[in-house]
Amino acid sequence: MRNGRTGRPARGFTYISLIILVAIIGLVAATTLKTGAMLQRSAAERALLDIGAQFSDALQSYANATPAGQPAQPPSLQALLRDPRYPGVRRHLRKIFVDPMTGKAEWGVVYLANQVGVVAVYSLSDAKPIKIGNFPARFQAFDGKLLISDWKFTMTGNAVATAPAVAAPAPPAAASAQPASRADNAVPAAEAPPPVP
């Protein structure tokens, strides 16, 4: 009988130990998933910066190849793939990349005020970035930005506010007059003086 009495508390202790072990495994698994998601998100932001650098380089290449008297900004992202100003094939960008934040090959585009030239490219993701500082020198303007969509990739890496611009989602085929989607971040175009009577 003595062995029977000591066996019951041991089984109860084992059951409680098993519950505690399962709870610890669950907490570790949840922490691992959260850490994995953060690492994946951080990797996507690094990929976005790499792709943004390629967009910036392509905009700079297009501007450098501009013949005298023509606009230095491409009319659309498609013009970076095949420059329409030259009879032969001239590329400034090898492809329109998939946005690592949204998983789509759709990008926001900041146009000049009259929507004839691409000034900057940005992700359409409205997620908060993990990286908020310590950017590469060319993207110092991204320090302290609250949304991924605030990372505007220009040809110089400077903030877009230096040039009159209107932000809009990139049209699927060619540049078209679409309503501005983030005009709050764009600088309004200078108004023309009234005609002299």
Side-chain angles (χ1 to χ4, degrees):
M1 283 200 158
R2 193 169 183 183
N3 288 342
R5 288 183 180 174
T6 57
R8 287 183 184 165
R11 278 184 268 152
F13 180 73
T14 305
Y15 182 69
I16 291 173
S17 299
L18 182 63
I19 291 175
I20 291 172
L21 180 64
V22 169
I24 290 172
I25 290 172
L27 288 173
V28 169
T31 303
T32 303
L33 287 175
K34 186 174 181 180
T35 303
M38 294 286 281
L39 290 173
Q40 185 178 12
R41 177 75 178 283
S42 181
E45 288 182 12
R46 283 193 306 272
L48 178 61
L49 289 172
D50 290 340
I51 291 169
Q54 292 185 54
F55 275 123
S56 294
D57 293 343
L59 290 170
Q60 184 66 56
S61 173
Y62 187 95
N64 292 343
T66 301
Q70 292 192 14
Q73 294 82 20
S76 68
L77 294 181
Q78 300 302 322
L80 296 174
L81 298 178
R82 186 172 183 153
D83 197 334
R85 304 171 298 178
Y86 294 93
V89 176
R90 184 163 190 164
R91 297 184 189 281
H92 305 283
L93 191 67
R94 61 186 178 93
K95 67 177 183 176
I96 302 296
F97 297 95
V98 171
D99 181 348
M101 301 306 296
T102 63
K104 299 177 183 176
E106 296 176 24
W107 295 89
V109 174
V110 179
Y111 292 97
L112 288 173
N114 52 5
Q115 294 199 4
V116 295
V118 176
V119 176
V121 180
Y122 62 96
S123 172
L124 295 175
S125 171
D126 280 334
K128 292 182 179 180
I130 294 173
K131 184 175 183 70
I132 56 170
N134 202 20
F135 286 92
R138 72 191 296 184
F139 299 132
Q140 287 300 314
F142 298 168
D143 281 350
K145 297 293 184 184
L146 300 178
L147 299 173
I148 294 287
S149 58
D150 291 336
W151 295 2
K152 306 284 194 285
F153 299 101
T154 64
M155 73 174 147
T156 60
N158 295 332
V160 179
T162 58
V166 174
S176 63
Q178 289 185 333
S181 65
R182 297 189 55 82
D184 55 328
N185 289 338
V187 176
E191 294 183 9
V196 178

